[in-house]
Amino acid sequence: MEVMDYVSIGLKIIVGLSILNVWLLQPKKATKWRGGNATTIKEEFKVYGLSETFCYVIGFLKVSLALMLLASIKFEGLTLIGSLGLATLLLGSIIMHLKVKDELFKSFPAFLFIAMNLVIASLAY
């Protein structure tokens, strides 16, 4: 394996585990990154004017894509679906932060993870 293969694997682990952490381990934890004054993911979706059902749909998609990204360490064919799918959903996160006029720093994690996913996708070729 080459150095860039290790970089790709490292980024996949960071992104995949971080998304799983947010959606499975800390959905009810207040953080400085949540939209508006929300303290949970469900509250954050309410701030954005989105339904609880939509929260579950996005959560399912993010968890599925994060697992796919982790699985792509072994099954390379899953890389583009996982990385570009997550990048697309994270772009939606940034748009929602802008919609509710959050301070720009709240969009930083989504921006960072979009960048990481784009690097992962570019290394897949």
Side-chain angles (χ1 to χ4, degrees):
M1 275 204 293
E2 296 181 25
V3 172
M4 296 314 285
D5 294 325
Y6 290 108
V7 169
S8 179
I9 291 169
L11 289 174
K12 288 175 181 183
I13 291 169
I14 291 167
V15 172
L17 292 181
S18 295
I19 297 293
L20 293 176
N21 177 53
V22 168
W23 282 90
L24 299 178
L25 300 179
Q26 298 189 40
K28 296 180 181 179
K29 183 180 179 206
T31 73
K32 65 181 179 180
W33 313 111
R34 297 230 185 267
N37 294 318
T39 58
T40 68
I41 285 181
K42 286 183 185 179
E43 287 178 16
E44 189 172 14
F45 273 71
K46 285 181 189 174
V47 167
Y48 299 146
L50 303 171
S51 70
E52 187 173 323
T53 300
F54 195 68
C55 177
Y56 287 117
V57 169
I58 295 299
F60 173 79
L61 290 172
K62 283 192 175 181
V63 167
S64 297
L65 291 166
L67 290 171
M68 192 176 297
L69 193 61
L70 291 169
S72 75
I73 294 168
K74 176 73 173 163
F75 305 102
E76 190 64 34
L78 299 174
T79 299
L80 289 179
I81 297 168
S83 62
L84 296 178
L86 282 172
T88 301
L89 292 176
L90 290 161
L91 179 60
S93 299
I94 292 173
I95 291 168
M96 290 295 107
H97 281 294
L98 294 173
K99 174 187 171 191
V100 299
K101 297 179 173 48
D102 274 336
E103 297 176 60
L104 284 179
F105 82 88
K106 289 191 175 194
S107 296
F108 176 74
F111 177 78
L112 177 63
F113 282 90
I114 287 172
M116 285 192 247
N117 276 297
L118 293 177
V119 169
I120 291 166
S122 71
L123 292 174
Y125 282 101

